[in-house]
Amino acid sequence: MNTKKSNLQELKKLEEMIRRCDRCRLYEYRKNAVPGNGIYNTKIALIGEAPGRNEDIEGLPFVGQAGKLLEQMLNSIGISRQDIFITNVIKCRPPENRDPLEDEIQACKPYLLKQIELVNPKVLILVGKYSVSTILGVNLKISHLKGRVFIKDGRYIFCTYHPAFILRNYSSYIEEYTYHFQKIKKIIDELI
Ligand code: URA
């Protein structure tokens, strides 16, 4: 738990750049960019897809229904969302919550990679196909990768469903989702 002071300053600067960013069309629609939140001084980071309506209004990630479920899942394994770093692949809300476009992902990707480099988490939790494809560079369906752990650049990367998908398919998937979070806990307990 010793993110360097210079890294913390760089992270703050990066946050400011993200708030003013106009690298893709999404800046035209946003109320607020959503750089991320939680703490920088952590060994665990979670990456989602893109801000939705509530996130755009508040400028914070995962503050809507999907965020509530995520928080519940984290709490169930003894983690508070304030103890980890949470961000998204895309920092501005796509209109009508449409899927992010490839050029938007590419425009935003340097921010995400820099955040990961500076926070330097040991464990990355990827929720949903966009964070998986952006970080792992594979275009496989989440059904092929969920529940699996990969090691990349010395980090343990765990892939699972996006919480919005679980909300839409609650009774069929909540048990598996709970199991995934138990698995995340095991990895964290072993590593941290
Ligand atoms: N969905 C995401 O992927 N990220 C958020 O911040 C909110 C909903």
Side-chain angles (χ1 to χ4, degrees), residues 34 47-53 55 60-64 66-67 70 81 86-90 127 162-164:
V34 181
I47 304 170
E49 179 180 320
R53 187 169 175 276
E55 290 77 19
L60 295 168
F62 283 111
V63 290
L70 207 52
R81 65 175 285 163
I86 301 182
T87 189
N88 286 302
V89 172
I90 295 280
V127 299
H162 193 283

Side-chain angles (χ1 to χ4, degrees), residues 37 46 54-55 58 60-77 79-82 86 127 162-167 170 174 177 181:
N37 91 324
L46 183 145
N54 295 300
E55 290 77 19
E58 294 195 32
L60 295 168
F62 283 111
V63 290
Q65 288 306 312
K68 284 208 181 85
L69 175 60
L70 207 52
E71 196 166 345
Q72 255 175 34
M73 301 310 297
L74 289 168
N75 292 346
S76 77
I77 57 166
I79 296 174
S80 152
R81 65 175 285 163
Q82 315 307 333
I86 301 182
V127 299
H162 193 283
F165 170 80
I166 302 299
L167 286 176
Y170 196 85
I174 188 62
Y177 211 39
F181 276 80

Side-chain angles (χ1 to χ4, degrees), residues 27-47:
Y27 86 95
E28 294 176 41
Y29 307 100
R30 73 174 176 230
K31 288 191 172 60
N32 289 291
V34 181
N37 91 324
I39 54 167
Y40 290 143
N41 219 346
T42 178
K43 296 277 182 228
I44 306 163
L46 183 145
I47 304 170

